[in-house]
């Protein structure tokens, strides 16, 4: 699979980046990436999940 990528800095967070992967439109790589995207979207979580806000709320309640 041949992919291009960009690394984007997240404002206000020196230790976080967003990586964006793209493939040439209508290429075998684009088809493979679309397949993997659909596959990842159907995976079920294996354990309890929390959003970042819920985690902060829980920590603030604990003191």
């Amino acid at each position: 699979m041949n992919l291009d990528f960009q690394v984007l800095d997240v404002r206000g967070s020196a230790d976080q980046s967003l990586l964006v992967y793209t493939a040439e439109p209508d290429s075998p790589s684009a088809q493979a990436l679309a397949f993997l995207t659909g596959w990842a979207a159907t995976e079920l979580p294996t354990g309890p999940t929390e959003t970042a806000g819920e985690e902060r709320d829980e920590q603030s309640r604990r003191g």
Side-chain angles (χ1 to χ4, degrees):
M1 185 174 350
N2 295 319
L3 300 175
D4 293 322
F5 73 96
Q6 291 180 295
V7 179
L8 307 171
D9 293 328
V10 177
R11 284 187 187 167
S13 180
D15 61 343
Q16 291 186 355
S17 299
L18 176 67
L19 280 68
V20 179
Y21 293 90
T22 56
E24 187 71 30
D26 301 319
S27 68
S29 292
Q31 292 172 355
L33 188 58
F35 173 78
L36 291 173
T37 301
W39 185 24
T42 59
E43 290 291 314
L44 298 175
T46 57
T49 60
E50 294 180 344
T51 64
E54 289 173 341
E55 187 175 328
R56 273 195 308 271
D57 291 344
E58 181 64 28
Q59 288 175 353
S60 66
R61 277 181 266 182
R62 290 186 216 155

